Amino acid sequence: MPDARPPLPPFTRETAARKVQAAEDAWNTRDPHRVALAYSEDSVWRNRDTFLTGRAAIVAFLTAKWAREHEYALRKDLWAYDGDRIAVRFQYESRDEAGRWWRSYGNELWEFDEHGLMTRREASIDDVRIDEGERRIHGPRPEAERGLSFPLQ
């Protein structure tokens, strides 16, 4: 039996928001192994045009992602929830190898098992080139901003 990853479904607004914040916190560590522990062993992903299955594939994907997306910093906001599903909108900023800054906007659909592990993740993401002076996301979310929505533009 897998270790439980509370909060567990069915989600309330409060528990769904805690799940989203926990995901944001983990992704901001940029530690592929830590992030992968939130997913079931056979978790299925769609990330843009990439399709993955399983924790090993997730670790490999995230390792490559954070090797090319420097100074990655993320914000996630709860969009909706129902039973064992959560919808999230997110933004992250990162710098590429050439030093160009990008803001990536996206939506994720999550589905969880009874242990609170994510069994399915579907992410649609668009990238916008920004100047360094336009950056808004500088590292993990400060404690005072937890629970606040992030502006779209």
Side-chain angles (χ1 to χ4, degrees):
M1 174 191 278
D3 291 330
R5 298 290 293 207
L8 307 177
F11 297 109
T12 64
R13 175 166 289 289
E14 177 188 333
T15 61
R18 283 199 337 251
K19 197 72 149 176
V20 171
Q21 187 62 57
E24 177 185 303
D25 293 344
W27 279 67
N28 275 324
T29 68
R30 292 176 267 167
D31 179 342
H33 296 280
R34 176 179 171 186
V35 172
L37 292 175
Y39 300 91
S40 66
E41 290 288 344
D42 59 351
S43 186
V44 176
W45 277 29
R46 180 186 61 78
N47 193 90
R48 301 177 195 249
D49 61 350
T50 301
F51 295 82
L52 312 169
T53 301
R55 278 191 188 156
I58 292 167
V59 168
F61 175 86
L62 293 175
T63 299
K65 171 185 177 61
W66 289 322
R68 70 179 179 275
E69 294 179 353
H70 305 280
E71 298 182 62
Y72 174 97
L74 166 74
R75 297 293 183 271
K76 290 184 182 281
D77 290 321
L78 174 64
W79 189 258
Y81 65 93
D82 183 44
D84 62 353
R85 294 179 177 172
I86 296 175
V88 174
R89 73 178 185 112
F90 66 89
Q91 297 176 42
Y92 69 85
E93 294 175 352
S94 63
R95 181 179 49 78
D96 66 20
E97 288 290 328
R100 293 176 300 235
W101 283 95
W102 297 89
R103 182 174 301 127
S104 300
Y105 297 91
N107 300 295
E108 293 176 310
L109 303 175
W110 299 346
E111 187 171 50
F112 296 87
D113 66 16
E114 68 275 13
H115 306 288
L117 295 171
M118 194 181 304
T119 58
R120 183 174 174 179
R121 174 185 175 266
E122 296 186 28
S124 298
I125 307 167
D126 297 307
D127 303 307
V128 177
R129 171 85 170 84
I130 61 172
D131 292 326
E132 185 172 3
E134 295 175 282
R135 291 185 59 214
R136 300 192 299 242
I137 307 172
H138 301 274
R141 187 185 300 248
E143 191 67 36
E145 293 178 12
R146 288 179 178 257
L148 301 177
S149 288
F150 209 69
L152 184 57
Q153 296 182 350

